[in-house]
């Protein structure tokens, strides 16, 4: 399937769109050593933000949510990437898998751990938090909820705040995966890993 949205380049954008574009082309997301870039090598944005440029009011809000879930959660980087990768593999989302394999590696996940997530085989995690994120994420993506025992187990290890962050994270990436699927967004061929 061919991507359905043209890649919008900075020179064709309105001032409102440029403001959003620049948030992805500068700062933590574009800093040396960032896990992946959302700026296409040939110009323009790739992945979810390219679509967000179509509606600046939504693009501004989604950029802020995306920044918060990537950089401001209490969940550890490894726990966050475990959840995102489980979700990406569940949704069979090529761009999410491409981006978050790299982010997972940057967070300290090994290729063997990432391969385990792809097959839902629990890796030998470092902490109870990571094991709980793994089990809780699978329950949420499979059944869209937790039963009382799963909820109690998650709160006992993660606490209410981190469980809330995990639920929001999964909802956000479900939205992103849907957007990527509808608009047939794929990673750059030369960068697929």
């Amino acid at each position: 399937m061919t991507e359905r949205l043209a890649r919008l380049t900075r020179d064709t954008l309105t001032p409102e769109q440029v403001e959003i574009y620049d948030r992805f082309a500068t700062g933590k997301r574009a800093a040396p050593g960032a896990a992946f870039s959302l700026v296409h090598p040939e110009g323009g944005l790739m992945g979810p933000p390219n679509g967000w440029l179509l509606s600046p009011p939504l693009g501004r809000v989604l950029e802020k949510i995306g920044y918060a879930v990537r950089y401001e959660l209490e969940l550890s980087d490894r726990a966050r990437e475990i959840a995102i990768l489980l979700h990406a593999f569940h949704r069979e989302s090529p761009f999410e898998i491409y981006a978050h394999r790299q982010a997972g590696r940057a967070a300290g996940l090994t290729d063997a751990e990432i391969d385990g997530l792809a097959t839902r085989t629990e890796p030998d995690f470092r902490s109870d938090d990571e094991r709980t994120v793994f089990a809780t994420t699978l329950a949420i993506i499979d059944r869209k909820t937790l039963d009382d025992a799963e909820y109690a187990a998650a709160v006992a290890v993660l606490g209410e705040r981190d469980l809330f962050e995990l639920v929001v994270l999964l909802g956000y990436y479900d939205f992103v995966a849907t957007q990527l699927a509808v608009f047939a967004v794929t990673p750059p061929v030369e960068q697929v890993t």
Side-chain angles (χ1 to χ4, degrees), residues 143-185:
R143 295 192 328 276
K144 310 294 184 230
T145 193
L146 300 174
D147 63 28
D148 289 343
E150 292 164 332
Y151 178 85
V155 170
V157 175
L158 301 175
E160 288 179 324
R161 177 180 173 156
D162 285 6
L163 177 57
F164 176 76
E165 288 182 354
L166 177 61
V167 171
V168 170
L169 177 79
L170 292 171
Y172 171 79
Y173 278 97
D174 202 53
F175 150 74
V176 168
T178 299
Q179 173 196 335
L180 294 171
V182 168
F183 293 104
V185 178

Side-chain angles (χ1 to χ4, degrees), residues 8-70:
L8 303 173
T9 56
R10 194 176 191 283
D11 61 326
T12 64
L13 303 177
T14 68
E16 279 186 305
Q17 291 170 316
V18 167
E19 175 190 336
I20 297 162
Y21 179 97
D22 286 349
R23 291 181 181 267
F24 292 96
T26 63
K28 280 187 178 183
R29 291 179 176 117
F36 60 90
S37 175
L38 292 167
V39 178
H40 195 280
E42 296 173 8
L45 298 177
M46 58 183 174
N50 185 55
W52 300 352
L53 294 174
L54 297 172
S55 175
L58 290 174
R60 281 191 297 276
V61 171
L62 295 171
E63 180 277 325
K64 288 178 182 174
I65 295 170
Y67 188 90
V69 299
R70 289 275 319 280

Side-chain angles (χ1 to χ4, degrees), residues 54-125:
L54 297 172
S55 175
L58 290 174
R60 281 191 297 276
V61 171
L62 295 171
E63 180 277 325
K64 288 178 182 174
I65 295 170
Y67 188 90
V69 299
R70 289 275 319 280
Y71 301 111
E72 297 178 344
L73 300 186
E74 273 193 6
L75 287 169
S76 72
D77 292 346
R78 279 179 54 94
R80 186 188 67 243
E81 292 304 326
I82 289 164
I84 294 168
L85 282 162
L86 281 170
H87 180 272
F89 289 123
H90 173 75
R91 287 292 306 264
E92 299 176 0
S93 181
F95 193 91
E96 280 186 341
I97 293 167
Y98 150 76
H100 289 281
R101 274 186 185 275
Q102 294 176 74
R105 288 180 190 123
L109 293 173
T110 66
D111 286 337
E113 288 172 321
I114 293 170
D115 291 343
L117 297 174
T119 61
R120 296 174 158 226
T121 304
E122 185 174 344
D124 186 20
F125 289 126

Side-chain angles (χ1 to χ4, degrees), residues 2 15 65 94 191:
T2 304
I65 295 170
Q191 295 186 23

